[in-house]
Amino acid sequence: VGLVVFSRSERTSADVAPTLDDHWHYAYGIYTCDTFAADLVDAGPDEKGIHTHEDGIIHIHPFSSAVTGNDATFGEFADMTGITLEDDSFTLPDGTTFKDGDDCGGEKGRVVIARWPADDPDAEPVLFEDNFGDVKFAEDRGVITLAFLPEGAEVPRPPSVPGLDNLSDVEGASTTTTASA
């Protein structure tokens, strides 16, 4: 019995999805008071396998067991894009900070993360009000919004959700090229 308990406790995050064999995507947005911020860019080379292509999509295909399973978190994405997360605030790469209680359009604001499944637009979001770096990527084709908005306001789904149906980094995906004059 002791060996069974020990072996179960020794399971690693590599045993839980996403695994090193998975390639997941999340539509994301950073919402501040009444608007979505521009899509983020990676702050450096992706050495772990959680990044963006400046397309409003988080691309999750772990290169390392350090970001598999329960360790595939929004905090890893935040680190990759230069967002600083605290329990009651976040700071964007440009240095702008949003903190619980600060003014948001004349009202007291709050920081929250909302997570939904992409394919159920009527689903209620799972809300996180602290430990933002620990928010796990729970499934493929997810949606996540990091928001600073007035108390009681509903967190909106990001405008990048349709991008999940037109990914450029998966086999068989279609791409659109726009030329400028």
Side-chain angles (χ1 to χ4, degrees), residues 28 40-42 50-59 77 81:
Y28 80 90
L40 298 171
V41 297
D42 294 335
I50 297 179
H51 60 271
T52 185
H53 298 178
E54 198 175 350
D55 56 0
I57 305 293
I58 301 170
H59 301 261
F77 176 70
T81 56

Side-chain angles (χ1 to χ4, degrees), residues 13 15 36 42 48-49 94 100 104 117 139 142-143 146 158 171 173 175 179:
S13 281
D15 298 333
F36 278 96
D42 294 335
K48 294 182 180 178
D94 69 2
D100 283 346
C104 182
E139 72 257 317
V143 177
L146 172 61
E171 190 174 315
T175 59

